Amino acid sequence: MKRTVWLLVGIIVITNVLWLYLFRNAEQSAVTANSGASLYLLHGTGKAWDVTDYKIMIAADKILRGRASLNYKGDPEELSQSIFFGIKFYEVNSRGEKEVVYSSEFHSNNGEVSILDNVREIGSLTSPYSYGELEKDRSNYESTSLELTWQDKEGQRHTEIIELEIDQEIHITADE
């Protein structure tokens, strides 16, 4: 009986050591595979808005999205007295589903939202990799789209979806 218990304990220890080795090796290969950096600059044109210089920067352990400029094509007076403006950037993930990767909203209850002042540079989001991020490649970033929603001075809500395309891309690899 003691011999069987010791045999089972030995098997458990060996399998745990093996799993630990495989886990560390997989973690190290993921870091090594992504030890460089990539930068994608995107733009798009819609009916009412233009998007320029949307950036996706992928580093070894983080990803940055944002810092775009939005230009309204219509009369700026149409946006005065607005009380809402929202943006959502989407990418297609590795499973082929659209997911929101960056969003921002501007609200006002007792006044107006200065939309044109808030879209000169929309800000950015930097975060560690989320689930599935390492599975993305150029085609996922090229599928980026922007959904804009705003309310005009008559109180009518408008929504526009703009498909973005890659203008420029830069890849830097780290030699080890």
Side-chain angles (χ1 to χ4, degrees), residues 15-90:
T15 57
N16 284 341
V17 169
L18 182 62
W19 278 110
L20 179 64
Y21 172 76
L22 292 174
F23 175 74
R24 285 185 181 234
N25 197 22
E27 186 178 83
Q28 184 65 16
S29 67
V31 170
T32 303
N34 205 16
S35 62
S38 297
L39 173 66
Y40 297 95
L41 299 174
L42 294 91
H43 80 282
T45 300
K47 183 178 173 187
W49 295 88
D50 286 333
V51 183
T52 56
D53 294 331
Y54 177 71
K55 295 166 188 68
I56 302 173
M57 188 171 105
I58 303 127
D61 59 345
K62 293 182 181 163
I63 187 161
L64 172 135
R65 291 180 172 96
R67 305 208 71 85
S69 295
L70 304 178
N71 301 311
Y72 186 64
K73 295 179 182 182
D75 181 6
E77 186 62 29
E78 294 172 354
L79 299 178
S80 67
Q81 301 174 5
S82 295
I83 61 169
F84 175 78
F85 181 73
I87 57 171
K88 290 182 184 177
F89 284 93
Y90 294 90

Side-chain angles (χ1 to χ4, degrees), residues 128-143:
Y129 290 125
S130 61
Y131 176 77
E133 196 70 56
L134 292 175
E135 298 170 6
K136 290 185 177 180
D137 60 13
R138 184 185 196 280
S139 64
N140 297 100
Y141 302 124
E142 195 169 40
S143 69

Side-chain angles (χ1 to χ4, degrees), residues 102-138:
Y102 177 73
S103 67
S104 187
E105 290 185 351
F106 305 94
H107 298 270
S108 175
N109 292 328
N110 297 324
E112 61 187 55
V113 172
S114 181
I115 292 176
L116 295 178
D117 289 337
N118 286 312
V119 297
R120 289 189 182 122
E121 185 179 292
I122 60 166
S124 63
L125 171 69
T126 304
S127 65
Y129 290 125
S130 61
Y131 176 77
E133 196 70 56
L134 292 175
E135 298 170 6
K136 290 185 177 180
D137 60 13
R138 184 185 196 280

